[in-house]
Amino acid sequence: MEPSREILMHPWYVWWVLIIGLFLMTFIGTWLITRRWDK
Amino acid sequence: MNTKFLPIPEITLTMAITSSVGIAILLGVSILLGILGKKQWKSFDEYLVGKRDMGPFVTGCALAASYLSGWAFCGSTGITYSVGFSGMWFAGMWSLIGIIPCIWVASAKTRSFAVKLNAATVPELMGRRYESKMLQTVISICMLFFLFIYSVGQLKAAGGVWYAVTGFPPVLCLLLGVFIAWIYMVLGGYVGTNWSMAFQGAFLGIVGAIFGVWALVSSGGFYEISLRLWEQDPRLLSLLRPDLPKVGPTEFFSSWVGLLASPLIFFTMAIGFPHNLGRFLGMKKMNKKEYWFLVFIVWFITGIPVMLASSTNGLITRTLFGPQLFKIEPWKADLAAPLLSYSVGGIPLQTLYVMGLFAATLSTLAGMVMIMSANVTRDIITLWRPSTKDKTLIRISYFLIALFLFLPFYWTWKRPPELLSMFMGLAAMGLGAIFFFVTAISFYWKRATKWGAFWTVLYGTVATLAGGYLVFTKKVIGMATMEFILLGGCLVLFFGVSLMTKPPSQELLKRLFEGKD
């Protein structure tokens, strides 16, 4: 019997959260560090 | 034959020839960059750090290349191929959580402290930061020890994959690879090595991104991958695999302790690896735009290819080949990435993949060997015999680079001694745990003292050795638990002993911490 779509896609949702989260971490973190550099 | 899965492709003459030509091109360009780097140094100091004028592109590519080893480009795919989604945590999904904070925390500070203290190596920087020649020697010996152990396994993946795709014995190819690495390191010094590493990093980043995206697009999509994994074994979809042993390395896949330890390992390793910090010693002072460019380059090379290599590539290989690779001795799951590249993009993509793997392997090894050689020449010989001539030091460097390149080659060819194999797995964790505190924290915490650093180095070394025995020989604890033991002990000793001992001199603190970087 084929499992539900939810079960099959669950690990991918976590995977996407990681991909997007690490992308945001990289660029928001860099923005926070460098935002006062000009001054 | 199992008709459900693709057959294992046979090696063809075209495969062997194109891979050989590809490696020859990669090595040819590397050697050319080494020759060009020859003009960039005149003294031993310049041989070690150049003119401290490396821009963001070269620094970013070289940093990513030094961080990403053959394991990241090959072994990580094998992990998710073997255990499914639960393997992605340890296989490199967290790579960015290490290397990006490494730039934030260590890039500008390493450069600024090195310039203020006129240091050309990481131990020299630490020796002057802590005002102790004794500590510089201890750190250089510790670094040498860990890097040596860690370097031994570096060529294994490249050798295995080379044999698997060409059918030629890996001895000659690896020997040629290390010989060429020796030439560009000897000729180019820090600058030439950095340039070669940057080229290799850019290459592996582009190839890794093309490979990962291509495989994902041709796989039929996320739902299709999951469905085909489910049909083989529903446990491949689990984010944690409690059915796997909680002792040894599988603790990373089987428990929450493992899941929590993985990002910590990537974080401390990236910041603590001396061959990563070494990239910042010769970096120029960056403005805002250059700093953003540096972060972007490292994000691109480390983020896209490695996160795909550590997750989707292995899963897709499993859907295509099923569990067949476990039966192919001795390579087993290490064949996942080269076979996927062949099944997705034929000989052209497989050739690019093999070139990328060699690039990843040689760049990490070169970064480590350069540090190891300087550990002896600068941090031991020059420190205790300052009158030694530059010419003599450069000649000793040539010999040491050859030695430190040859030994990993020898132990890839012949089986490494049991004792060495046992500690190899934990060497990276040990390096990260020790030097995260001893170097990175000392850039920010004025109260850090030489005795705090000394006991951290000592504890970290002993705990790593004991951990290797307990995790791999006795198999009584898991590798992730060992990470917490290592890191916790280093943290307590570094802060505790520092607070109990005499702080560094006011003069030094003023010089390092006051005024602009």
Side-chain angles (χ1 to χ4, degrees), chain B residues 314-332:
Chain B
L315 300 172
I316 298 166
T317 317
R318 186 69 187 248
T319 65
L320 295 176
F321 293 97
Q324 295 178 92
L325 306 193
F326 296 130
K327 292 179 198 144
I328 307 175
E329 294 283 356
W331 321 113
K332 296 182 177 177

Side-chain angles (χ1 to χ4, degrees), chain B residues 25 318 381:
Chain B
I25 293 170
R318 186 69 187 248
I381 300 175

Side-chain angles (χ1 to χ4, degrees), chain A residues 10-23:
Chain A
H10 173 252
W12 289 112
Y13 298 149
V14 176
W15 185 84
W16 272 109
V17 167
L18 281 168
I19 298 275
I20 295 167
L22 290 168
F23 173 84

Side-chain angles (χ1 to χ4, degrees), chain B residues 413-432:
Chain B
W413 179 27
K414 307 275 175 194
R415 218 177 133 201
E418 278 305 316
L419 201 64
L420 207 58
S421 307
M422 192 170 86
F423 297 134
M424 243 189 292
L426 282 173
M429 276 164 52
L431 264 177

Side-chain angles (χ1 to χ4, degrees), chain B residues 109-291:
Chain B
K109 286 287 180 190
T110 304
R111 188 196 184 278
S112 137
F113 273 41
V115 170
K116 285 176 181 170
L117 297 170
N118 192 27
T121 65
V122 178
E124 188 170 57
L125 178 63
M126 289 301 104
R128 292 178 184 173
R129 158 65 181 87
Y130 292 106
E131 300 171 300
S132 168
K133 278 168 80 170
M134 172 279 290
L135 187 67
Q136 184 178 340
T137 312
V138 169
I139 287 177
S140 68
I141 292 170
C142 168
M143 241 174 222
L144 193 59
F145 174 69
F146 276 109
L147 287 176
F148 176 69
I149 293 175
Y150 189 43
S151 70
V152 168
Q154 289 299 317
L155 294 169
K156 194 171 161 260
V161 168
W162 170 261
Y163 181 70
V165 301
T166 64
F168 301 148
V171 177
L172 273 179
C173 176
L174 290 181
L175 189 61
L176 185 69
V178 295
F179 178 65
I180 284 177
W182 180 75
I183 292 178
Y184 69 70
M185 292 174 77
V186 157
L187 289 177
Y190 178 89
V191 175
T193 306
N194 232 26
W195 283 352
S196 298
M197 287 170 75
F199 159 68
Q200 291 161 0
F203 185 83
L204 78 90
I206 292 167
V207 168
I210 293 172
F211 176 26
V213 173
W214 194 344
L216 196 53
V217 169
S218 63
S219 68
F222 300 114
Y223 183 81
E224 186 65 22
I225 297 172
S226 281
L227 185 62
R228 289 165 75 178
L229 289 173
W230 174 276
E231 284 165 0
Q232 284 184 47
D233 184 350
R235 290 175 302 182
L236 294 171
L237 292 182
S238 304
L239 292 165
L240 271 181
R241 292 274 306 265
D243 57 301
L244 294 171
K246 287 188 174 53
V247 291
T250 48
E251 190 185 20
F252 287 118
F253 324 132
S254 63
S255 76
W256 279 96
V257 178
L259 199 148
L260 293 171
S262 302
L264 268 181
I265 291 175
F266 281 94
F267 180 72
T268 52
M269 263 186 348
I271 299 175
F273 272 175
H275 46 292
N276 286 358
L277 294 186
R279 301 310 108 212
F280 304 132
L281 290 170
M283 182 181 89
K284 67 182 278 200
K285 190 173 179 179
M286 303 226 178
N287 60 33
K288 192 171 175 174
K289 207 169 149 189
E290 289 166 333
Y291 189 82

